[in-house]
Structure formats: structure tokens, C-alpha cells
Amino acid sequence: MQVTKPGLTTLSDALDIAFAEVPVMTTAEERPISACYGAILRQDVVAQVFVPSVDNSAMDGYALRHADLAAIEGPVSVTGVSLAGHPFAGTLPWGAAVRIATGAAIPDGADCVIIQENVAANADETVIEIDADVIARTRLHQNIRWQGEDIKAGAPVLQAGSILRPQDIAIAAGQGFGSLSVARPLKVAVFSTGDELAIPGHPLPPGGIYDSNRFAMIGMLRSIGCEVTDLGLLADDFDVLQGALADAVQSHDVIMTSGGVSVGKADLLKPVVESLGEITAWKLAIKPGKPLLRGKIEDCLVIGLPGNPVSVLVSGLLYVLPLLRHAMGASHSQLSPTRIPVRAGFEFKRGTGRREWLRARLMQNDDGEFEAVAFPSTSSGMLSSMVWAEGLIELPENCGQVSKGDQVLYLPLQGLQ
């Protein structure tokens, strides 16, 4: 395990440890496919049918026997029609053609399709004429899609642990599945602590600030399908926090909080968790978000995030969401964020020892090339920077400075949610 400073664990090590210590916490449930978007698949999906189900036409046109083409010297009779869902009955006669629509079954005996734009048909499409150059260019099996060309029956099409995207749902539906086995959503209780916090919509007391962290946490949790119970604001009081956690563990898989995880006099979450259960991890070598707590009370996972809003969002996206998806059975290959190498359009100096993320976006420079531009402040209290940002620049633990033109890693925010 790599530790960059005494008592601080790298993010990658912290996640590996958490993945090893936190089990899959939810059971599987059968759910209609229309309710599976974003859910985590818990059972492999194996193809039930061939796609395409039959050899079919890739274009609107005329199905012919390729061996007949060399002998064509005049009009060709059209002996029938093949439409999607309404195939031509019988075998294609020698020297004839069948009018065919895109997706329609290839008639028995036909082995190529000439598109309609390359033939001349009479008014009722019973006769066509084909130019010699078209005949010369027509290949055996032209414009034919073969049975099973896309998917073969019996082949795996989706793997357990996949986070289901619209295209995944579509392929399951295309295989005739009306429901899928997916993870039951985690039940997560959320609250914020801090006597300085006020509820949005209520008067703001002198020196107070409105609670925004709770809404960031709720949004992140709902983005991965969790069922969230909002416990609101809790006072910086040991007994109040202890009672709230003791109640929440009875009906929730996870408790997630913000604030009260550092070492100040009013930072009570750590001793409260220790009074009811145990602390399993504390403090990461990351910036923002160092004072991050993971604990356990009975079978309930407890996650305590820092109080600064940018720290909540960054540590939530990079640590909490992967961990909770793991707890719902997601494949670990799906939990690593997308990192895109880009050129830096900024200068930055810093100390070493912690992995750091700068709020950033991609912008075109004077040469028309995209480069990463960092927000001018690194303060973890500036929530507006996360609204401005479209991604994060990741600086490794041993990075001392960034110069314009250096290659850096860009993590799109959209890929983290």
C-alpha cells in the first residue's frame, strides 16, 4: 500500500482497500427493462435469437441470382415482393427478380441485391432494366445482411456488473427480454452537520450559510440509483448525532454525511461512529477532500465527507460513487474514470504529496486546438467553480508544477456521475 504522508492513503489504495472490505450489499431483483436504465446488471444476458433473424436486404432494391446477371440482355421480370415481416413465398425463378425492401428476407435462390436507384422499372414495377455497367459492378452477396451477422443465439451480449446504458437496454429488448436481474438500490440516509447551516428557503441568521452539501450528496446518490432518505440538518451535538445514526442503521445500507470529520472541537462524527461501531478508514492523500471517513455500524456503511462543498463533490465523485456502485455489484472495470490526455493551457505550482484535482474545462486556443484551462482559484469553498467546470485536471502525487503545453489528464465530469 502506497502512503504518501504518514497517516494518509492514496485514492487508488483507499479504493482497493474499500473494495476488499466492503461486500456487495444489495440483493438482485427482477425489474422491467423500462425501469433498468442506470441499474447494475446482476446476471449475464445471453442471446436468445439471431440478429438479423434471417438473411435480409440492407437496401431497398431488387433481389437477383448473381449467376443470372451475365446472361441478362434485356428486361428482367419482377415475380414478386419481399417486405419486412412479409417474405416472398417460394424460390426465385431463374432469370427473374424480386422487389425487396430494407430488412426484408432474401428470397430462396437470390444471392445479391441491386439498389433501386441503379435500375429502371416500368410503372407497376413488374419489369426492370439493368445497365451493363451496373451488372459488371454487382458482386455476389452485395447488400445482403446475414443471419446472426450482428448477434448469434447463445452468445453473451451483456455481462453481470455492467452499468446499464440505453444501448444495453436496447440490446436486451432486441433479444426479447422483458425484464432483467439488477441490483436492488442501496438505501442511503443523508444529513449535514454544522450549527452555522441554514435550510434553503428559510431566513439566513447572522453569520450563517445555507446548506448546499446535502443537496449535492442527494444528487450524486440519485444519479447512481440509490434510494435516499433526507435526514436534514443535525446539530453539532454528540447525543443528537449518536441517536440519529443509531436509528438510521436499522433501515439503511449506508449513512452519508458532510461536515464534522476533521479534528476540530465541533467535529463529532468520528467519535460518534466509534461509540456505535468502528472507523475503517480516515484521511486520504487527496486535495480537495483529505478528511474523509469510512466506518461501519453493525452492517451499515458510514461515509463522512468534508464540509467544504468542492471537497464533497470531488471526493463524492471519485471515491464514494465507485464504492457504492461496487456495493451494488458493479464490475470494477466500469468504476475507473475516463482520463483523457490533453495539453495544459495554464501554469500551476504546488506542493507534493497529495493527488490533486483542479476544476477545468476544455477551450480552443488561438491555433484552434483544444487545451485544458483551470479555474483561477483552488479554494475548496468556491462552489461556483464546480458549476463553471466541465471536468477535472488530475495532478499525481509527485507533480510539482504544470507549465503551458504540458500533457495533463482530463476527467470529464459527465463520465464521473
Side-chain angles (χ1 to χ4, degrees):
M1 181 180 69
Q2 179 186 2
V3 179
T4 57
K5 288 185 178 181
L8 298 184
T9 307
T10 65
L11 177 66
S12 59
D13 284 342
L15 281 172
D16 287 343
I17 294 167
F19 291 158
E21 293 181 353
V22 176
V24 175
M25 301 174 69
T26 63
T27 56
E29 62 182 20
E30 198 74 12
R31 197 183 302 174
I33 59 170
S34 60
C36 289
Y37 295 99
I40 295 170
L41 186 66
R42 294 289 286 270
Q43 185 175 352
D44 291 348
V45 174
V46 176
Q48 301 182 124
V49 297
F50 288 95
V51 179
S53 59
V54 296
D55 299 342
N56 70 84
S57 178
M59 305 288 285
D60 291 332
Y62 295 86
L64 300 102
R65 184 178 283 104
H66 191 265
D68 290 343
L69 296 180
I72 291 176
E73 295 181 350
V76 176
S77 296
V78 179
T79 60
V81 177
S82 183
L83 301 174
H86 301 279
F88 173 80
T91 300
L92 174 68
W94 289 93
V98 168
R99 183 74 164 99
I100 195 165
T102 301
I106 300 295
D108 183 35
D111 53 18
C112 65
V113 173
I114 298 178
I115 63 174
Q116 62 187 19
E117 292 88 347
N118 287 346
V119 304
N122 64 354
D124 58 3
E125 296 185 334
T126 56
V127 175
I128 60 172
E129 293 189 6
I130 312 172
D131 289 344
D133 64 330
V134 172
I135 291 174
R137 296 197 311 268
T138 300
R139 304 181 311 277
L140 181 67
H141 304 149
Q142 182 168 294
N143 295 319
I144 293 177
R145 299 183 295 205
W146 302 108
Q147 180 192 49
E149 182 178 302
D150 183 15
I151 301 170
K152 290 179 172 55
V157 291
L158 296 173
Q159 292 186 331
S162 299
I163 300 169
L164 293 171
R165 305 162 298 173
Q167 56 266 46
D168 302 321
I169 302 299
I171 206 169
Q175 285 297 315
F177 289 92
S179 63
L180 294 173
S181 175
V182 298
R184 173 185 65 79
L186 285 168
K187 297 178 180 179
V188 186
V190 173
F191 64 86
S192 292
T193 64
D195 290 343
E196 77 281 10
L197 297 178
I199 299 172
H202 290 223
L204 186 66
I209 58 172
Y210 284 118
D211 176 26
S212 60
N213 290 349
R214 184 160 42 99
F215 301 95
M217 292 189 293
I218 290 171
M220 287 189 288
L221 292 167
R222 287 181 176 167
S223 76
I224 63 169
C226 296
E227 293 181 3
V228 181
T229 302
D230 183 4
L231 300 183
L233 293 177
L234 298 184
D236 288 326
D237 179 278
F238 187 95
D239 292 336
V240 169
L241 292 173
Q242 187 183 59
L245 266 65
D247 288 342
V249 299
Q250 304 307 314
S251 55
H252 294 87
D253 304 299
V254 181
I255 298 171
M256 184 169 168
T257 77
S258 92
V261 294
S262 192
V263 292
K265 183 178 179 180
D267 293 317
L268 299 174
L269 185 65
K270 188 171 182 286
V272 167
V273 173
E274 288 175 323
S275 75
L276 298 169
E278 61 177 329
I279 303 296
T280 51
W282 189 45
K283 292 187 178 182
L284 300 185
I286 63 174
K287 182 181 180 180
K290 180 177 75 171
L292 190 152
L293 176 150
R294 176 170 64 86
K296 182 179 180 183
I297 302 174
E298 298 179 14
D299 291 327
C300 185
L301 175 65
V302 181
I303 297 173
L305 299 183
N308 282 317
V310 177
S311 300
V312 167
L313 285 161
V314 172
S315 59
L317 294 171
L318 294 171
Y319 179 84
V320 178
L321 297 195
L323 176 55
L324 297 190
R325 279 179 162 146
H326 154 83
M328 289 189 284
S331 169
H332 289 181
S333 64
Q334 302 224 337
L335 300 181
S336 180
T338 299
R339 291 174 167 88
I340 303 171
V342 298
R343 295 296 177 188
F346 62 94
E347 305 276 343
F348 185 68
K349 293 183 179 181
R350 72 182 194 107
T352 59
R354 286 193 283 166
R355 185 158 296 234
E356 185 168 355
W357 291 271
L358 308 179
R359 287 131 271 175
R361 56 168 56 178
L362 298 181
M363 298 182 69
Q364 282 183 295
N365 59 24
D366 293 339
D367 296 326
E369 298 175 342
F370 280 96
E371 59 185 18
V373 177
F375 192 76
S377 172
T378 60
S379 169
S380 58
M382 296 188 70
L383 183 55
S384 62
S385 65
M386 289 298 290
V387 176
W388 173 88
E390 296 170 351
L392 301 172
I393 294 295
E394 183 174 73
L395 304 180
E397 289 84 358
N398 60 357
C399 175
Q401 67 177 44
V402 177
S403 300
K404 280 190 176 183
D406 287 351
Q407 182 173 284
V408 293
L409 294 177
Y410 179 79
L411 285 62
L413 286 177
Q414 191 173 20
L416 298 173
Q417 298 167 336

